[in-house]
Amino acid sequence: MCDKAIVLELKEAYALAIKEGGEVVRIKRKNDLAVGDQIYILEEDLYYKEKTNRVISFPAARKMRDSFTRHGSNQKTLSRIAGMAAMIVLCISLFLLPQMTLTAYAQASFDGDACIQVEMDQNYRIIHAFSPDNSVSPEELTGLEGKYISEIRSELLRFYGTEDILIGYAFKSSNQDQGALRQELYGLFAGYNTIWLFGSTEDIQASAERNISLGKYIAGKELSNDAIDDVLEDLELAELLRILQADSKWLEIPEFKEALEDRLESILEDKDDHENDTDDDGIIGKSDTDNQEDDDYDDEHQDVRESEMPQNQPEFEKGSEAEDDFDNNPDVQSNSDTIIVDTDASEIAESDQNGVSDGSFEEEYDAETED
Amino acid sequence: MVDGDGVSIEKLNDLVEQHMAFLIRTVSDLTGRYISVEHDDEFSIALSAFAEAVERYQPERGAFLPFARLVVRSRVQTYLKQKNRHREEISLEALEEAGEHIAAPENESHDDLQDEIHLFQQELSAFGLSLDVLADESPRHQDTRTRAIEIAHRSSQEPQIVRKTYQKKKLPVRAVAKLCAVSEKIVKGSRHFILATMLVFVKPFPILIRWIEGARCIHVR
């Protein structure tokens, strides 16, 4: 798959480009690259920054799986496998990551009927094979050590039945060739239903600390983040503040912080809307006065008001639909001059043509001010 | 339309489209740089080499792609060697005296684009955004992105929204959601992308607008 992109900015290790369609991506630096260049980019040209514990979204993971599997797997399978891991991650702070010394170049875990994890060197030879949940004894796994990852398919498959297999993989250090490792692993479970999750160096450490497989840990984070989003969405500001009061570390969780900011923003927007009702270019809105007498006065003196219209009266073509709409709606005239003035007649005509009244927003605003 | 050798032009075009990624990858590997959309001599050589490979290919001698790769690499490498050998300074005046008409280099549109990009970055910066943030937060799913662009476009046409946005230096999520008849969650999910795209429409930046609204070039491997 190829895309066209415009180079927007050059950084030391990568460049930022905008693809046709508007997506901004990071791409690898190559020779003679300059801002403004219009280039073709391929999937392998994309650059991933170090902290990419969400590099593979579920749709992308499904794409990879579908190319090697007969049946479609889905989030239910992932939920079943990673259910317990999600609970563990939710209960433990994400920031207490231990410093562990890693000797492997990359790690990969395979969760299904059994749970096996392998550490590999740069040539993808297995340094160490173990079972994080002890579903396979160490003696059964020693036969894997010393072999290349691509050679262990038959030995590995005897531990797995027909269940879906969750494959988690990550590098010890960043900026490694993810594609090459993926390629090595693909052949292991060809013909099986697989779910792929790519993690970071920190995920290797964190999963080891929690004695769960790398794949389960990454899956747990994915699910827990989605779960956090769903839960936080329903919480009121007071509840969020109570949670924060109980443990200030919650503020370090991006989803929580974002939920809190959203609540505050909503409150500020409500406050602004209320202030605009009372002080919008000096015009007092109906929501404040709610004065029937004013309505009557306006209706009665409509002709007079027309002749005294401020100079920023919008200019419509005589006899145009827009003019008729304006003239036939005294409430709009009297309460929202500033809004109408800003609206271009051509926009009104165009939006009416499209079946959406451009005045709908203003009308709603007016309806609010009349309350 | 069929040429004398029996390979129709339409068929050849289809094959080129299908193997676009292959061609781009092959040339890019050789040159060490990205292939330019606007003009790329090496890529032009690769295209004609590919056509040659299509004509000369015989199925009984093996798979097509390795053969095509061989032909394309060979032609491009030959071209690169010739290009390096004959690289020398030639003055435009000397060429023009010799009767060669040299078209003015098309730097104007490239300069315009660079100016737009620079101004766009300044606008982003005024809102506390950067291209790195957009790279992290651009919606990956095409439908989500298309919808976000529609929301941005609609919002950019609404003076109240624009005014509020510039006043508060952030997207008025609630007002935008109401205007576009979508949930606030949808707007929040792509808020920075919507804001950045809205700035493109508001200023406006015509080249970037065309790019954002342009069709996607999809070529199957």
Side-chain angles (χ1 to χ4, degrees), chain B residues 1-37:
Chain B
M1 201 165 139
V2 178
D3 66 14
D5 294 329
V7 178
S8 70
I9 302 296
E10 287 88 356
K11 180 71 178 171
L12 184 59
N13 283 339
D14 287 343
L15 284 171
V16 167
E17 266 196 42
Q18 286 171 24
H19 294 87
M20 196 61 144
F22 155 76
L23 289 165
I24 289 170
R25 186 178 295 115
T26 305
V27 177
S28 187
D29 286 346
L30 280 172
T31 60
R33 57 172 179 77
Y34 287 102
I35 306 302
S36 170
V37 169

Side-chain angles (χ1 to χ4, degrees), chain B residues 17-212:
Chain B
E17 266 196 42
Q18 286 171 24
H19 294 87
M20 196 61 144
F22 155 76
L23 289 165
I24 289 170
R25 186 178 295 115
T26 305
V27 177
S28 187
D29 286 346
L30 280 172
T31 60
R33 57 172 179 77
Y34 287 102
I35 306 302
S36 170
V37 169
E38 296 152 306
H39 55 83
D40 200 291
D41 292 337
E42 286 82 355
F43 194 67
S44 302
I45 300 291
L47 287 174
S48 58
F50 184 78
E52 180 190 341
V54 167
E55 284 190 35
R56 287 171 50 190
Y57 173 64
Q58 292 170 351
E60 57 272 15
R61 299 187 71 175
F64 171 70
L65 269 186
F67 172 69
R69 184 177 291 117
L70 195 67
V71 175
V72 168
R73 285 180 66 92
S74 168
R75 296 287 176 264
V76 172
Q77 278 171 333
T78 303
Y79 170 78
L80 286 172
K81 280 179 193 159
Q82 287 172 348
K83 190 174 156 184
N84 289 335
R85 208 159 36 228
H86 295 115
R87 182 172 292 161
E88 58 188 29
E89 295 290 330
I90 301 175
S91 70
L92 290 176
E93 291 80 8
L95 281 171
E96 284 178 350
E97 278 173 14
E100 295 280 346
H101 172 65
I102 308 298
E106 292 183 20
N107 285 333
E108 288 179 351
S109 61
H110 197 264
D111 287 345
D112 288 342
L113 179 54
Q114 285 186 326
D115 289 341
E116 268 195 29
I117 291 170
H118 180 63
L119 289 170
F120 179 50
Q121 283 179 289
Q122 283 182 334
E123 278 294 297
L124 289 176
S125 176
F127 285 82
L129 293 177
S130 68
L131 291 170
D132 264 311
V133 167
L134 292 185
D136 288 330
E137 299 189 16
S138 284
R140 299 300 170 205
H141 198 271
Q142 188 174 347
D143 289 345
T144 310
R145 200 164 52 246
T146 303
R147 182 167 58 185
I149 291 171
E150 284 167 2
I151 291 172
H153 190 224
R154 183 70 186 92
S155 301
S156 70
Q157 294 176 320
E158 188 55 52
Q160 277 273 70
I161 302 277
V162 174
R163 186 169 59 85
K164 252 185 178 176
T165 302
Y166 273 87
Q167 218 167 42
K168 305 282 179 189
K169 289 299 181 210
K170 59 183 178 181
L171 190 74
V173 171
R174 181 165 292 185
V176 167
K178 197 174 172 182
L179 172 71
C180 302
V182 296
S183 69
E184 285 186 34
K185 186 177 178 181
I186 287 174
V187 177
K188 277 181 203 169
S190 309
R191 87 173 88 193
H192 290 145
F193 179 81
I194 291 172
L195 173 57
T197 309
M198 194 175 126
L199 296 176
V200 171
F201 285 120
V202 165
K203 292 310 289 182
F205 297 127
I207 302 175
L208 289 177
I209 289 174
R210 277 201 304 275
W211 198 256
I212 287 169

Side-chain angles (χ1 to χ4, degrees), chain A residues 1-9 11 14 16 18-42 44-45 49 230 233 258 262-263 265-266 268-270 272-273 276 280 339 342 347 356-358 361-362 364-365 368, chain B residues 20-21 24-25 28 31-38 43 110 113-114 117 120-121 131-136 138-140 145 149 154 157-161 163-164 168 170-175 178-179 184-185 188 191 193 207-208 211-219 221:
Chain A
M1 184 192 72
C2 76
D3 288 294
K4 295 181 190 174
I6 294 178
V7 178
L8 298 175
E9 189 178 343
K11 300 280 196 182
Y14 59 91
L16 289 146
I18 182 167
K19 297 193 328 189
E20 256 187 337
E23 187 184 354
V24 178
V25 292
R26 293 185 182 88
I27 59 174
K28 295 173 185 168
R29 287 289 301 264
K30 289 191 183 180
N31 298 335
D32 302 333
L33 202 56
V35 172
D37 283 352
Q38 295 183 35
I39 58 175
Y40 288 108
I41 59 172
L42 303 173
E44 60 253 35
D45 294 324
K49 282 183 111 176
D230 288 338
E233 192 181 85
E258 197 176 311
D262 285 347
R263 296 294 175 285
E265 201 175 289
S266 294
L268 286 171
E269 275 192 42
D270 284 340
D272 285 344
D273 287 344
N276 285 339
D280 188 0
I339 295 170
D342 289 336
E347 288 181 0
V356 174
S357 170
D358 197 56
F361 183 68
E362 288 89 357
E364 279 188 60
Y365 180 88
E368 284 175 11
Chain B
M20 196 61 144
I24 289 170
R25 186 178 295 115
S28 187
T31 60
R33 57 172 179 77
Y34 287 102
I35 306 302
S36 170
V37 169
E38 296 152 306
F43 194 67
H110 197 264
L113 179 54
Q114 285 186 326
I117 291 170
F120 179 50
Q121 283 179 289
L131 291 170
D132 264 311
V133 167
L134 292 185
D136 288 330
S138 284
R140 299 300 170 205
R145 200 164 52 246
I149 291 171
R154 183 70 186 92
Q157 294 176 320
E158 188 55 52
Q160 277 273 70
I161 302 277
R163 186 169 59 85
K164 252 185 178 176
K168 305 282 179 189
K170 59 183 178 181
L171 190 74
V173 171
R174 181 165 292 185
K178 197 174 172 182
L179 172 71
E184 285 186 34
K185 186 177 178 181
K188 277 181 203 169
R191 87 173 88 193
F193 179 81
I207 302 175
L208 289 177
W211 198 256
I212 287 169
E213 291 180 335
R216 194 162 172 229
C217 149
I218 298 176
H219 301 281
R221 274 186 73 188

